[in-house]
Amino acid sequence: MTANVGHYDVDKNKVLYPDECFLINGVCFYVQNRLGRFAKEKQYGDLMQARFSELEVLCRRELVAGNSGNRIDFVVYDKILIEIKAKPFLTQDDFAQIQRYLKALDLELGLLINFWSRSAQPKRVLRIRGS
């Protein structure tokens, strides 16, 4: 099945959770448009949670990852991990953090969102198997 998204054709059989991610992208843009680029991480999370609730999207917030005590910002639809950031730029440590969380929760897809970037476009992070 192929869908036309903007100027691109997306093969929905090859992209993990395309419809769900499309909706999450919309929520991210909604949140950034309301709060701007330089709010605090908690403010972004609170507004995301409110918007998910308005849209009746199943989400859980601040889950503990295994025995680490680390808290995951969101798990949406019980299959997509969302980690939000409010900082000048993302680092390799941020992507490594997502990998650890995906492994701890046995999920395949994480979205890393930095609301301080010009566009709150989520970065898709697929779980790396092995090692």
Side-chain angles (χ1 to χ4, degrees):
M1 174 182 209
T2 302
N4 189 298
V5 179
H7 298 289
Y8 303 97
D9 289 328
V10 176
D11 186 340
K12 289 188 171 189
N13 296 317
K14 293 183 180 178
V15 175
L16 201 56
Y17 314 129
D19 296 326
E20 295 89 341
C21 289
F22 184 80
L23 186 138
I24 293 167
N25 284 354
V27 169
C28 292
F29 292 128
Y30 172 88
V31 167
Q32 191 177 48
N33 286 337
R34 297 299 177 283
L35 295 177
R37 286 182 46 210
F38 300 108
K40 300 214 180 280
E41 205 171 288
K42 182 172 180 350
Q43 293 171 295
Y44 292 121
D46 290 346
L47 188 52
M48 281 185 78
Q49 185 173 22
R51 186 65 175 164
F52 284 141
S53 181
E54 288 172 12
L55 297 172
E56 298 181 356
V57 172
L58 174 66
C59 77
R60 294 182 289 157
R61 187 169 180 192
E62 296 189 0
L63 297 173
V64 176
N67 296 326
S68 69
N70 293 328
R71 296 193 179 273
I72 296 164
D73 291 324
F74 291 96
V75 172
V76 182
Y77 300 110
D78 284 330
K79 57 188 175 184
I80 302 170
L81 182 148
I82 298 175
E83 186 63 24
I84 58 177
K85 301 292 181 189
K87 56 199 244 179
F89 54 88
L90 296 174
T91 66
Q92 288 300 319
D93 290 340
D94 298 319
F95 288 92
Q97 177 186 34
I98 294 278
Q99 285 296 329
R100 288 190 305 274
Y101 290 171
L102 289 170
K103 184 176 180 183
L105 294 180
D106 196 28
L107 297 174
E108 298 300 319
L109 177 63
L111 300 177
L112 181 58
I113 306 153
N114 185 12
F115 282 102
W116 280 20
S117 66
R118 292 203 187 281
S119 173
Q121 179 87 31
K123 308 287 187 227
R124 295 173 61 89
V125 180
L126 296 173
R127 180 175 170 189
I128 298 171
R129 293 286 179 171
S131 56

